[in-house]
Amino acid sequence: MATRTLVVDNGAATIKFGFADEDTPYRTFANNISRSKAERKTFVGDQLETCKDFSGLYYRLPFEKGLLTSWDVEKQVWDRLFNGKIVPCEPSATTLLISEPILNLPNIATTYDQLVFEEYGFHSYTRMSAPQMAMYNEIPRLYGQKMTSGKKRVDCAVVVDSGYSFTHIIPFWKGKPILVGIRRINVGGKLLTNHLKEIISFRYWNMMDETYLVNEVKEACCYVSNKFWDELDICKKSPRANKILQHYVLPDYSSQQRGYVKGGSKSKQREKKRKGPGKMDLDHAEDETNEADSEKEDSDQGDSDSDEDMSEPNEDEQVLTMNNERFTVPEILFNPSDIGMDQAGIPEAIVDAISSCDEEIQGMLYANIVLIGGNARLPGFRKRVANDLREIAPSEYDVRVGIDKDPFGYAWKGGKRLATMDEFASEFKNRLVTRAEYLETGSALCESRFRSAV
């Protein structure tokens, strides 16, 4: 009999995992196999944390264009997770709740079932998309409210999942996705990092092989601008008058393993790195409206303590100058046409998704928009989405955009809540397929039971 439930948000870039019955936060590790050019070692998943030189890392990714296509890579990563090397997991006595891509292809879904039951031998399991897991959270809390008495979750919501490969907009009604309203934008964290690599390589020096390092630069320096053209003019000013300009000190992987923004608090930035991507300190959505301007201002100035720090880099340091790249790269999320993509930005896609739904629920959808995923951690992201939506949404509807203090792990938290809360006990039980049932009926039962909630 299964005694524990392991919740796994199997993201294209990062896996979030943890047991549902534990009070400890979820843990993360990279969902890839990487090889270090300098160390000549191969790192599988969590082994990347032992790497000492991240320059020129070569990646093998299990996901391609948002779908799990390289099962050889994924199996090696899962082996470390499910075989007790990272967590004390005994599959035969464990229930697995795992995320899958939105509108997953049938043949890929079948492979999930085969590995979970035939390779690892889990007692029982269910799978669902990350936005669907997020729906089990108490969404009204994102707007400073409480759940209505007697309700398990909100009736209507739009989940905007901006992750590694894509950005998806998914309207939900009664906990089920409205299929005709699902929209996808082909812009995610991977594209932003690759675009920043090209800009740096063109303007400064060649960093096309430094994916890991450029991604760190993006996370430390980039933000979403709410006054794009005004800030573009600021970037043209002299360095002392340019409050957006930042100097990022690159690591040498000898005396210094992590880069940091020059002039900022180095210890604070290193502490942020130690916390990991799933534990970043973000403001609550209800506080962000009042604090976003000051947050962005801090971001614009790069936590500068003095002009002297900014203008006189140490000769022993290799410094990368970040100017308008800080906000023009994330701007692609809102204007993909900037790089020649014939697609709508996030606000326009949200309006299009809601407009395709029944008119009677459109007002409720506009009032419950939730931002999740790694890109939602960009400073100013929520405010920009809210401001742009208010300009183009029908005036008769109230627009509310909510974001958790940890949008990166919001889906995992929803999965944990589904697996542990008494009000979801019967629903969770009805979703599960046991290994005995699978061996008797095959993947047909999994498809039927998992899709019954779609």
Side-chain angles (χ1 to χ4, degrees), residues 123-153:
H123 176 273
S124 56
Y125 106 112
T126 186
R127 48 179 161 80
M128 63 180 69
S129 67
Q132 195 164 2
M133 292 168 68
M135 283 293 295
Y136 288 95
N137 286 298
E138 295 185 76
I139 291 177
R141 289 186 177 274
L142 302 180
Y143 315 106
Q145 300 175 350
K146 294 182 179 180
M147 287 290 294
T148 304
S149 179
K151 280 198 171 184
K152 297 190 295 185
R153 56 173 172 240

PDB file of all heavy atoms in Angstrom, residues 123-153:
ATOM      1  N   HIS A 123       3.807   2.459  -7.131  1.00  0.00           N
ATOM      2  CA  HIS A 123       2.556   1.846  -6.679  1.00  0.00           C
ATOM      3  C   HIS A 123       1.363   2.405  -7.458  1.00  0.00           C
ATOM      4  O   HIS A 123       0.484   1.664  -7.902  1.00  0.00           O
ATOM      5  CB  HIS A 123       2.373   2.097  -5.184  1.00  0.00           C
ATOM      6  CG  HIS A 123       1.063   1.597  -4.649  1.00  0.00           C
ATOM      7  ND1 HIS A 123      -0.091   2.367  -4.674  1.00  0.00           N
ATOM      8  CD2 HIS A 123       0.707   0.410  -4.085  1.00  0.00           C
ATOM      9  CE1 HIS A 123      -1.081   1.686  -4.153  1.00  0.00           C
ATOM     10  NE2 HIS A 123      -0.630   0.491  -3.783  1.00  0.00           N
ATOM     11  N   SER A 124       1.336   3.727  -7.625  1.00  0.00           N
ATOM     12  CA  SER A 124       0.266   4.388  -8.368  1.00  0.00           C
ATOM     13  C   SER A 124       0.760   5.752  -8.810  1.00  0.00           C
ATOM     14  O   SER A 124       1.742   6.281  -8.252  1.00  0.00           O
ATOM     15  CB  SER A 124      -0.998   4.519  -7.512  1.00  0.00           C
ATOM     16  OG  SER A 124      -0.707   5.200  -6.307  1.00  0.00           O
ATOM     17  N   TYR A 125       0.063   6.327  -9.795  1.00  0.00           N
ATOM     18  CA  TYR A 125       0.491   7.657 -10.229  1.00  0.00           C
ATOM     19  C   TYR A 125      -0.603   8.348 -11.031  1.00  0.00           C
ATOM     20  O   TYR A 125      -1.577   7.723 -11.479  1.00  0.00           O
ATOM     21  CB  TYR A 125       1.784   7.555 -11.021  1.00  0.00           C
ATOM     22  CG  TYR A 125       1.730   7.738 -12.521  1.00  0.00           C
ATOM     23  CD1 TYR A 125       2.324   8.855 -13.122  1.00  0.00           C
ATOM     24  CD2 TYR A 125       1.126   6.801 -13.357  1.00  0.00           C
ATOM     25  CE1 TYR A 125       2.314   9.022 -14.495  1.00  0.00           C
ATOM     26  CE2 TYR A 125       1.115   6.966 -14.732  1.00  0.00           C
ATOM     27  CZ  TYR A 125       1.709   8.080 -15.303  1.00  0.00           C
ATOM     28  OH  TYR A 125       1.700   8.249 -16.664  1.00  0.00           O
ATOM     29  N   THR A 126      -0.439   9.648 -11.158  1.00  0.00           N
ATOM     30  CA  THR A 126      -1.271  10.458 -12.038  1.00  0.00           C
ATOM     31  C   THR A 126      -0.406  11.561 -12.606  1.00  0.00           C
ATOM     32  O   THR A 126       0.637  11.908 -12.027  1.00  0.00           O
ATOM     33  CB  THR A 126      -2.489  11.050 -11.302  1.00  0.00           C
ATOM     34  OG1 THR A 126      -3.335  11.717 -12.242  1.00  0.00           O
ATOM     35  CG2 THR A 126      -2.055  12.058 -10.239  1.00  0.00           C
ATOM     36  N   ARG A 127      -0.821  12.097 -13.735  1.00  0.00           N
ATOM     37  CA  ARG A 127      -0.081  13.213 -14.338  1.00  0.00           C
ATOM     38  C   ARG A 127      -1.068  14.267 -14.813  1.00  0.00           C
ATOM     39  O   ARG A 127      -2.203  13.979 -15.178  1.00  0.00           O
ATOM     40  CB  ARG A 127       0.785  12.736 -15.503  1.00  0.00           C
ATOM     41  CG  ARG A 127       0.096  11.842 -16.512  1.00  0.00           C
ATOM     42  CD  ARG A 127       1.034  11.434 -17.638  1.00  0.00           C
ATOM     43  NE  ARG A 127       0.545  10.267 -18.354  1.00  0.00           N
ATOM     44  CZ  ARG A 127      -0.384  10.299 -19.288  1.00  0.00           C
ATOM     45  NH1 ARG A 127      -0.930  11.452 -19.631  1.00  0.00           N
ATOM     46  NH2 ARG A 127      -0.780   9.185 -19.884  1.00  0.00           N
ATOM     47  N   MET A 128      -0.592  15.512 -14.796  1.00  0.00           N
ATOM     48  CA  MET A 128      -1.384  16.639 -15.269  1.00  0.00           C
ATOM     49  C   MET A 128      -0.428  17.771 -15.608  1.00  0.00           C
ATOM     50  O   MET A 128       0.754  17.737 -15.246  1.00  0.00           O
ATOM     51  CB  MET A 128      -2.390  17.085 -14.191  1.00  0.00           C
ATOM     52  CG  MET A 128      -1.761  17.591 -12.908  1.00  0.00           C
ATOM     53  SD  MET A 128      -2.972  18.111 -11.671  1.00  0.00           S
ATOM     54  CE  MET A 128      -3.688  16.537 -11.233  1.00  0.00           C
ATOM     55  N   SER A 129      -0.911  18.767 -16.319  1.00  0.00           N
ATOM     56  CA  SER A 129      -0.058  19.889 -16.699  1.00  0.00           C
ATOM     57  C   SER A 129       0.225  20.765 -15.490  1.00  0.00           C
ATOM     58  O   SER A 129      -0.530  20.766 -14.507  1.00  0.00           O
ATOM     59  CB  SER A 129      -0.723  20.714 -17.796  1.00  0.00           C
ATOM     60  OG  SER A 129      -1.887  21.362 -17.299  1.00  0.00           O
ATOM     61  N   ALA A 130       1.314  21.521 -15.556  1.00  0.00           N
ATOM     62  CA  ALA A 130       1.683  22.412 -14.456  1.00  0.00           C
ATOM     63  C   ALA A 130       0.610  23.470 -14.179  1.00  0.00           C
ATOM     64  O   ALA A 130       0.295  23.732 -13.007  1.00  0.00           O
ATOM     65  CB  ALA A 130       3.034  23.068 -14.748  1.00  0.00           C
ATOM     66  N   PRO A 131       0.012  24.113 -15.213  1.00  0.00           N
ATOM     67  CA  PRO A 131      -1.065  25.066 -14.919  1.00  0.00           C
ATOM     68  C   PRO A 131      -2.246  24.428 -14.193  1.00  0.00           C
ATOM     69  O   PRO A 131      -2.876  25.063 -13.347  1.00  0.00           O
ATOM     70  CB  PRO A 131      -1.468  25.569 -16.315  1.00  0.00           C
ATOM     71  CG  PRO A 131      -0.241  25.425 -17.133  1.00  0.00           C
ATOM     72  CD  PRO A 131       0.390  24.159 -16.632  1.00  0.00           C
ATOM     73  N   GLN A 132      -2.550  23.157 -14.523  1.00  0.00           N
ATOM     74  CA  GLN A 132      -3.650  22.479 -13.840  1.00  0.00           C
ATOM     75  C   GLN A 132      -3.298  22.219 -12.378  1.00  0.00           C
ATOM     76  O   GLN A 132      -4.165  22.309 -11.494  1.00  0.00           O
ATOM     77  CB  GLN A 132      -3.979  21.166 -14.554  1.00  0.00           C
ATOM     78  CG  GLN A 132      -5.320  20.569 -14.167  1.00  0.00           C
ATOM     79  CD  GLN A 132      -5.790  19.521 -15.146  1.00  0.00           C
ATOM     80  OE1 GLN A 132      -5.092  19.203 -16.107  1.00  0.00           O
ATOM     81  NE2 GLN A 132      -6.976  18.985 -14.933  1.00  0.00           N
ATOM     82  N   MET A 133      -2.030  21.912 -12.111  1.00  0.00           N
ATOM     83  CA  MET A 133      -1.591  21.759 -10.724  1.00  0.00           C
ATOM     84  C   MET A 133      -1.721  23.083  -9.981  1.00  0.00           C
ATOM     85  O   MET A 133      -2.122  23.125  -8.806  1.00  0.00           O
ATOM     86  CB  MET A 133      -0.145  21.259 -10.689  1.00  0.00           C
ATOM     87  CG  MET A 133       0.037  19.837 -11.190  1.00  0.00           C
ATOM     88  SD  MET A 133       1.775  19.382 -11.455  1.00  0.00           S
ATOM     89  CE  MET A 133       2.401  19.349  -9.788  1.00  0.00           C
ATOM     90  N   ALA A 134      -1.404  24.179 -10.657  1.00  0.00           N
ATOM     91  CA  ALA A 134      -1.468  25.503 -10.022  1.00  0.00           C
ATOM     92  C   ALA A 134      -2.883  25.867  -9.605  1.00  0.00           C
ATOM     93  O   ALA A 134      -3.087  26.632  -8.652  1.00  0.00           O
ATOM     94  CB  ALA A 134      -0.910  26.563 -10.968  1.00  0.00           C
ATOM     95  N   MET A 135      -3.877  25.331 -10.303  1.00  0.00           N
ATOM     96  CA  MET A 135      -5.269  25.658 -10.010  1.00  0.00           C
ATOM     97  C   MET A 135      -5.722  25.147  -8.636  1.00  0.00           C
ATOM     98  O   MET A 135      -6.753  25.578  -8.126  1.00  0.00           O
ATOM     99  CB  MET A 135      -6.190  25.083 -11.090  1.00  0.00           C
ATOM    100  CG  MET A 135      -6.206  25.868 -12.385  1.00  0.00           C
ATOM    101  SD  MET A 135      -6.931  27.506 -12.192  1.00  0.00           S
ATOM    102  CE  MET A 135      -8.629  27.085 -11.766  1.00  0.00           C
ATOM    103  N   TYR A 136      -4.972  24.233  -8.034  1.00  0.00           N
ATOM    104  CA  TYR A 136      -5.362  23.712  -6.727  1.00  0.00           C
ATOM    105  C   TYR A 136      -4.885  24.609  -5.589  1.00  0.00           C
ATOM    106  O   TYR A 136      -5.143  24.323  -4.420  1.00  0.00           O
ATOM    107  CB  TYR A 136      -4.822  22.288  -6.549  1.00  0.00           C
ATOM    108  CG  TYR A 136      -5.549  21.283  -7.408  1.00  0.00           C
ATOM    109  CD1 TYR A 136      -5.042  20.912  -8.659  1.00  0.00           C
ATOM    110  CD2 TYR A 136      -6.744  20.721  -6.998  1.00  0.00           C
ATOM    111  CE1 TYR A 136      -5.713  20.000  -9.466  1.00  0.00           C
ATOM    112  CE2 TYR A 136      -7.425  19.800  -7.797  1.00  0.00           C
ATOM    113  CZ  TYR A 136      -6.902  19.454  -9.034  1.00  0.00           C
ATOM    114  OH  TYR A 136      -7.578  18.558  -9.833  1.00  0.00           O
ATOM    115  N   ASN A 137      -4.192  25.687  -5.898  1.00  0.00           N
ATOM    116  CA  ASN A 137      -3.801  26.650  -4.876  1.00  0.00           C
ATOM    117  C   ASN A 137      -4.977  27.554  -4.513  1.00  0.00           C
ATOM    118  O   ASN A 137      -5.981  27.611  -5.228  1.00  0.00           O
ATOM    119  CB  ASN A 137      -2.630  27.502  -5.373  1.00  0.00           C
ATOM    120  CG  ASN A 137      -1.322  26.741  -5.394  1.00  0.00           C
ATOM    121  OD1 ASN A 137      -0.846  26.300  -4.352  1.00  0.00           O
ATOM    122  ND2 ASN A 137      -0.739  26.584  -6.570  1.00  0.00           N
ATOM    123  N   GLU A 138      -4.820  28.281  -3.433  1.00  0.00           N
ATOM    124  CA  GLU A 138      -5.824  29.256  -3.021  1.00  0.00           C
ATOM    125  C   GLU A 138      -5.568  30.563  -3.778  1.00  0.00           C
ATOM    126  O   GLU A 138      -4.930  31.479  -3.261  1.00  0.00           O
ATOM    127  CB  GLU A 138      -5.777  29.468  -1.513  1.00  0.00           C
ATOM    128  CG  GLU A 138      -6.170  28.237  -0.707  1.00  0.00           C
ATOM    129  CD  GLU A 138      -6.231  28.526   0.781  1.00  0.00           C
ATOM    130  OE1 GLU A 138      -7.200  29.160   1.228  1.00  0.00           O
ATOM    131  OE2 GLU A 138      -5.293  28.115   1.483  1.00  0.00           O
ATOM    132  N   ILE A 139      -6.065  30.640  -4.978  1.00  0.00           N
ATOM    133  CA  ILE A 139      -5.793  31.770  -5.863  1.00  0.00           C
ATOM    134  C   ILE A 139      -6.269  33.103  -5.294  1.00  0.00           C
ATOM    135  O   ILE A 139      -5.577  34.122  -5.464  1.00  0.00           O
ATOM    136  CB  ILE A 139      -6.392  31.487  -7.256  1.00  0.00           C
ATOM    137  CG1 ILE A 139      -5.594  30.353  -7.940  1.00  0.00           C
ATOM    138  CG2 ILE A 139      -6.407  32.747  -8.133  1.00  0.00           C
ATOM    139  CD1 ILE A 139      -6.122  29.929  -9.290  1.00  0.00           C
ATOM    140  N   PRO A 140      -7.417  33.186  -4.613  1.00  0.00           N
ATOM    141  CA  PRO A 140      -7.828  34.489  -4.064  1.00  0.00           C
ATOM    142  C   PRO A 140      -6.796  35.136  -3.150  1.00  0.00           C
ATOM    143  O   PRO A 140      -6.774  36.364  -2.999  1.00  0.00           O
ATOM    144  CB  PRO A 140      -9.115  34.147  -3.293  1.00  0.00           C
ATOM    145  CG  PRO A 140      -9.687  32.979  -4.033  1.00  0.00           C
ATOM    146  CD  PRO A 140      -8.480  32.180  -4.428  1.00  0.00           C
ATOM    147  N   ARG A 141      -5.946  34.335  -2.522  1.00  0.00           N
ATOM    148  CA  ARG A 141      -4.910  34.906  -1.656  1.00  0.00           C
ATOM    149  C   ARG A 141      -3.940  35.795  -2.440  1.00  0.00           C
ATOM    150  O   ARG A 141      -3.298  36.677  -1.862  1.00  0.00           O
ATOM    151  CB  ARG A 141      -4.138  33.788  -0.949  1.00  0.00           C
ATOM    152  CG  ARG A 141      -4.939  33.068   0.128  1.00  0.00           C
ATOM    153  CD  ARG A 141      -4.070  32.074   0.874  1.00  0.00           C
ATOM    154  NE  ARG A 141      -4.798  31.422   1.947  1.00  0.00           N
ATOM    155  CZ  ARG A 141      -4.929  31.906   3.177  1.00  0.00           C
ATOM    156  NH1 ARG A 141      -4.370  33.065   3.487  1.00  0.00           N
ATOM    157  NH2 ARG A 141      -5.598  31.239   4.104  1.00  0.00           N
ATOM    158  N   LEU A 142      -3.813  35.561  -3.729  1.00  0.00           N
ATOM    159  CA  LEU A 142      -2.936  36.393  -4.548  1.00  0.00           C
ATOM    160  C   LEU A 142      -3.451  37.821  -4.642  1.00  0.00           C
ATOM    161  O   LEU A 142      -2.694  38.741  -4.964  1.00  0.00           O
ATOM    162  CB  LEU A 142      -2.806  35.800  -5.960  1.00  0.00           C
ATOM    163  CG  LEU A 142      -2.279  34.370  -6.067  1.00  0.00           C
ATOM    164  CD1 LEU A 142      -2.216  33.939  -7.528  1.00  0.00           C
ATOM    165  CD2 LEU A 142      -0.902  34.253  -5.424  1.00  0.00           C
ATOM    166  N   TYR A 143      -4.737  38.007  -4.372  1.00  0.00           N
ATOM    167  CA  TYR A 143      -5.340  39.341  -4.420  1.00  0.00           C
ATOM    168  C   TYR A 143      -5.701  39.841  -3.027  1.00  0.00           C
ATOM    169  O   TYR A 143      -6.489  40.771  -2.877  1.00  0.00           O
ATOM    170  CB  TYR A 143      -6.601  39.305  -5.295  1.00  0.00           C
ATOM    171  CG  TYR A 143      -6.419  38.555  -6.595  1.00  0.00           C
ATOM    172  CD1 TYR A 143      -6.986  37.292  -6.775  1.00  0.00           C
ATOM    173  CD2 TYR A 143      -5.659  39.088  -7.632  1.00  0.00           C
ATOM    174  CE1 TYR A 143      -6.810  36.588  -7.959  1.00  0.00           C
ATOM    175  CE2 TYR A 143      -5.479  38.383  -8.815  1.00  0.00           C
ATOM    176  CZ  TYR A 143      -6.056  37.139  -8.966  1.00  0.00           C
ATOM    177  OH  TYR A 143      -5.864  36.447 -10.135  1.00  0.00           O
ATOM    178  N   GLY A 144      -5.124  39.210  -1.993  1.00  0.00           N
ATOM    179  CA  GLY A 144      -5.386  39.638  -0.631  1.00  0.00           C
ATOM    180  C   GLY A 144      -6.744  39.227  -0.110  1.00  0.00           C
ATOM    181  O   GLY A 144      -7.269  39.840   0.827  1.00  0.00           O
ATOM    182  N   GLN A 145      -7.339  38.178  -0.682  1.00  0.00           N
ATOM    183  CA  GLN A 145      -8.654  37.714  -0.264  1.00  0.00           C
ATOM    184  C   GLN A 145      -8.562  36.287   0.265  1.00  0.00           C
ATOM    185  O   GLN A 145      -7.513  35.648   0.197  1.00  0.00           O
ATOM    186  CB  GLN A 145      -9.640  37.783  -1.438  1.00  0.00           C
ATOM    187  CG  GLN A 145      -9.825  39.180  -2.011  1.00  0.00           C
ATOM    188  CD  GLN A 145     -10.717  39.183  -3.237  1.00  0.00           C
ATOM    189  OE1 GLN A 145     -11.052  38.143  -3.783  1.00  0.00           O
ATOM    190  NE2 GLN A 145     -11.102  40.378  -3.669  1.00  0.00           N
ATOM    191  N   LYS A 146      -9.685  35.789   0.770  1.00  0.00           N
ATOM    192  CA  LYS A 146      -9.762  34.418   1.248  1.00  0.00           C
ATOM    193  C   LYS A 146     -10.714  33.613   0.381  1.00  0.00           C
ATOM    194  O   LYS A 146     -11.572  34.166  -0.295  1.00  0.00           O
ATOM    195  CB  LYS A 146     -10.240  34.381   2.710  1.00  0.00           C
ATOM    196  CG  LYS A 146      -9.269  35.009   3.694  1.00  0.00           C
ATOM    197  CD  LYS A 146      -9.797  34.887   5.114  1.00  0.00           C
ATOM    198  CE  LYS A 146      -8.816  35.497   6.113  1.00  0.00           C
ATOM    199  NZ  LYS A 146      -9.331  35.374   7.507  1.00  0.00           N
ATOM    200  N   MET A 147     -10.537  32.298   0.421  1.00  0.00           N
ATOM    201  CA  MET A 147     -11.434  31.423  -0.312  1.00  0.00           C
ATOM    202  C   MET A 147     -12.844  31.538   0.240  1.00  0.00           C
ATOM    203  O   MET A 147     -13.051  31.645   1.453  1.00  0.00           O
ATOM    204  CB  MET A 147     -10.973  29.972  -0.227  1.00  0.00           C
ATOM    205  CG  MET A 147      -9.747  29.657  -1.058  1.00  0.00           C
ATOM    206  SD  MET A 147     -10.056  29.694  -2.841  1.00  0.00           S
ATOM    207  CE  MET A 147     -11.181  28.312  -3.027  1.00  0.00           C
ATOM    208  N   THR A 148     -13.833  31.519  -0.666  1.00  0.00           N
ATOM    209  CA  THR A 148     -15.228  31.524  -0.235  1.00  0.00           C
ATOM    210  C   THR A 148     -15.530  30.266   0.562  1.00  0.00           C
ATOM    211  O   THR A 148     -15.098  29.167   0.207  1.00  0.00           O
ATOM    212  CB  THR A 148     -16.161  31.614  -1.455  1.00  0.00           C
ATOM    213  OG1 THR A 148     -15.813  32.771  -2.219  1.00  0.00           O
ATOM    214  CG2 THR A 148     -17.612  31.719  -1.019  1.00  0.00           C
ATOM    215  N   SER A 149     -16.265  30.427   1.641  1.00  0.00           N
ATOM    216  CA  SER A 149     -16.579  29.292   2.511  1.00  0.00           C
ATOM    217  C   SER A 149     -17.270  28.174   1.723  1.00  0.00           C
ATOM    218  O   SER A 149     -18.213  28.408   0.976  1.00  0.00           O
ATOM    219  CB  SER A 149     -17.471  29.753   3.657  1.00  0.00           C
ATOM    220  OG  SER A 149     -17.809  28.674   4.491  1.00  0.00           O
ATOM    221  N   GLY A 150     -16.746  26.967   1.886  1.00  0.00           N
ATOM    222  CA  GLY A 150     -17.346  25.810   1.232  1.00  0.00           C
ATOM    223  C   GLY A 150     -16.794  25.516  -0.145  1.00  0.00           C
ATOM    224  O   GLY A 150     -17.141  24.496  -0.746  1.00  0.00           O
ATOM    225  N   LYS A 151     -15.904  26.376  -0.656  1.00  0.00           N
ATOM    226  CA  LYS A 151     -15.336  26.158  -1.988  1.00  0.00           C
ATOM    227  C   LYS A 151     -13.933  25.591  -1.880  1.00  0.00           C
ATOM    228  O   LYS A 151     -13.136  25.992  -1.022  1.00  0.00           O
ATOM    229  CB  LYS A 151     -15.299  27.466  -2.781  1.00  0.00           C
ATOM    230  CG  LYS A 151     -16.638  27.840  -3.412  1.00  0.00           C
ATOM    231  CD  LYS A 151     -16.409  28.866  -4.521  1.00  0.00           C
ATOM    232  CE  LYS A 151     -17.696  29.088  -5.317  1.00  0.00           C
ATOM    233  NZ  LYS A 151     -17.463  29.999  -6.457  1.00  0.00           N
ATOM    234  N   LYS A 152     -13.622  24.656  -2.772  1.00  0.00           N
ATOM    235  CA  LYS A 152     -12.299  24.067  -2.787  1.00  0.00           C
ATOM    236  C   LYS A 152     -11.320  24.912  -3.591  1.00  0.00           C
ATOM    237  O   LYS A 152     -10.148  25.008  -3.272  1.00  0.00           O
ATOM    238  CB  LYS A 152     -12.367  22.654  -3.382  1.00  0.00           C
ATOM    239  CG  LYS A 152     -13.204  21.682  -2.566  1.00  0.00           C
ATOM    240  CD  LYS A 152     -13.041  20.269  -3.069  1.00  0.00           C
ATOM    241  CE  LYS A 152     -13.587  20.096  -4.491  1.00  0.00           C
ATOM    242  NZ  LYS A 152     -13.521  18.689  -4.928  1.00  0.00           N
ATOM    243  N   ARG A 153     -11.802  25.525  -4.673  1.00  0.00           N
ATOM    244  CA  ARG A 153     -10.954  26.349  -5.541  1.00  0.00           C
ATOM    245  C   ARG A 153     -11.846  27.298  -6.316  1.00  0.00           C
ATOM    246  O   ARG A 153     -13.076  27.189  -6.296  1.00  0.00           O
ATOM    247  CB  ARG A 153     -10.160  25.473  -6.505  1.00  0.00           C
ATOM    248  CG  ARG A 153     -11.024  24.550  -7.349  1.00  0.00           C
ATOM    249  CD  ARG A 153     -10.211  23.823  -8.394  1.00  0.00           C
ATOM    250  NE  ARG A 153     -11.046  22.812  -9.043  1.00  0.00           N
ATOM    251  CZ  ARG A 153     -10.788  21.521  -9.044  1.00  0.00           C
ATOM    252  NH1 ARG A 153      -9.716  21.077  -8.442  1.00  0.00           N
ATOM    253  NH2 ARG A 153     -11.582  20.669  -9.652  1.00  0.00           N
TER     254      ARG A 153
END
